[in-house]
Amino acid sequence: MLALDNVSFNLRKGEVHALLGENGAGKSTLMKVLSGVHVPEEGEILYESLPVKLTSPISAQTIGIAIIHQEFNLFPELSVAENIFIGRERTAKHKWLLDDNSQSEATQALLDKLNLDIKPETLVEELTVAQQQMVEIAKALSVNAKVLIMDEPLRR
């Protein structure tokens, strides 16, 4: 069965889009293609007028595309700062030592930018669902996302 057929979707800086459709219409599939989770079998993706091949979420993040999935990718037992920088931990001069201060300061700057009254050391399990979603947004901003895709935000 074909999930997407003859799809055309254009974005411009500063725009907000909502995709609406019935269950099974391909909305989530399109979001996963645009964020590198799924690789399309045919067609092309143009990003900043150039064709790109998104083969993984990391390849999408590298060019500035981030996704927040329906199910959050947060670890409840870790702090907000640890969740934002997981897999991209900041290290001290010696490279084998984590730089908690740098991570905490960068996290606080992101939280301030989003006007959130959350501390970087707060455990994610202590946050409301809405606050957790904002942590996901902060996480996307931490990779300098130019395109932020939210798959069914605040569905719960």
Side-chain angles (χ1 to χ4, degrees):
M1 183 166 131
L2 195 59
L4 300 173
D5 186 25
N6 198 23
V7 174
S8 179
F9 184 62
N10 296 303
L11 299 173
R12 288 180 191 81
K13 187 175 185 171
E15 291 183 336
V16 175
H17 295 272
L19 291 181
L20 304 172
E22 295 182 22
N23 287 342
K27 301 177 301 291
S28 290
T29 302
L30 177 59
M31 299 304 100
K32 289 176 181 175
V33 167
L34 294 176
S35 62
V37 174
H38 292 323
V39 179
E41 294 176 9
E42 58 184 62
E44 69 178 347
I45 298 171
L46 298 177
Y47 184 76
E48 297 182 340
S49 303
L50 299 172
V52 294
K53 184 114 175 127
L54 303 175
T55 57
S56 70
I58 292 173
S59 68
Q61 278 183 5
T62 300
I63 64 168
I65 300 173
I67 187 167
I68 299 173
H69 296 280
Q70 291 177 33
E71 299 301 322
F72 299 150
N73 290 320
L74 299 174
F75 295 91
E77 66 281 357
L78 297 180
S79 73
V80 170
E82 290 168 324
N83 269 281
I84 287 176
F85 288 100
I86 197 148
R88 302 175 299 116
E89 290 82 1
R90 293 181 173 208
T91 55
K93 178 170 39 170
H94 300 291
K95 298 295 181 206
W96 46 266
L97 214 73
L98 291 180
D99 190 346
D100 291 330
N101 287 338
S102 172
Q103 268 185 196
S104 185
E105 288 172 9
T107 299
Q108 190 62 60
L110 290 166
L111 297 173
D112 290 346
K113 187 175 187 176
L114 293 170
N115 214 15
L116 293 174
D117 188 22
I118 302 171
K119 299 290 178 219
E121 61 275 2
T122 303
L123 297 180
V124 166
E125 65 190 2
E126 297 172 7
L127 303 176
T128 66
V129 172
Q131 289 173 319
Q132 290 178 26
Q133 185 160 50
M134 294 304 291
V135 169
E136 287 279 18
I137 292 170
K139 191 174 173 182
L141 293 176
S142 77
V143 297
N144 299 316
K146 296 177 188 173
V147 176
L148 178 58
I149 299 168
M150 299 176 78
D151 191 5
E152 298 195 31
L154 283 179
R155 182 175 167 193
R156 288 167 258 185

